[in-house]
Amino acid sequence: GIALLDNPAVASLSGLANQAVSKKDWEKAKSALERALKIASEDASIWRRLAYCYHQTGDYEQALAQAQRASSLSLDNAREQKLNRELIGLITHKMEATNGKYF
């Protein structure tokens, strides 16, 4: 996870994503994170952050899929696991709140 931020390209893309998120530019953030995943496909935190962006745009199915991927990649990281559980809970709550549209 964290070691991949040692890669300058991943660190740069992660920074771009952070800037986009701070401006609520979810599409730009998703683009940067998806590009980072092409380099660091096993980085659970990037998958989780991507899931959050999908959640923010209302694409709950995609958000859940990304969050579950993040969760499967972070089995050895208690902090990431906790963040993923919280995000998955948030996503599933939103899905249920849309009158069962997704279930």
Side-chain angles (χ1 to χ4, degrees):
I2 306 291
L4 292 172
L5 285 178
D6 291 340
N7 179 311
V10 174
S12 176
L13 290 165
S14 184
L16 281 174
N18 289 344
Q19 290 174 353
V21 165
S22 72
K23 297 174 185 168
K24 298 189 181 337
D25 186 346
W26 307 115
E27 295 305 319
K28 187 173 183 178
K30 284 193 293 190
S31 175
L33 292 168
E34 286 166 351
R35 287 169 44 213
L37 283 172
K38 288 182 177 163
I39 302 164
S41 64
E42 301 299 308
D43 189 318
S45 69
I46 297 174
W47 284 103
R48 178 180 42 77
R49 293 166 60 207
L50 183 59
Y52 180 76
C53 292
Y54 275 107
H55 169 262
Q56 290 297 318
T57 60
D59 190 342
Y60 302 125
E61 288 181 11
Q62 191 71 293
L64 186 59
Q66 308 299 352
Q68 289 171 333
R69 176 72 188 264
S71 191
S72 72
L73 290 171
S74 64
L75 298 176
D76 61 345
N77 185 325
R79 180 180 175 277
E80 272 299 319
Q81 278 292 305
K82 180 179 186 296
L83 292 170
N84 284 321
R85 275 193 307 275
E86 290 171 358
L87 182 56
I88 288 169
L90 188 66
I91 295 164
T92 55
H93 177 74
K94 286 280 190 173
M95 292 171 87
E96 291 163 358
T98 58
N99 298 320
K101 178 179 168 188
Y102 294 96
F103 292 111

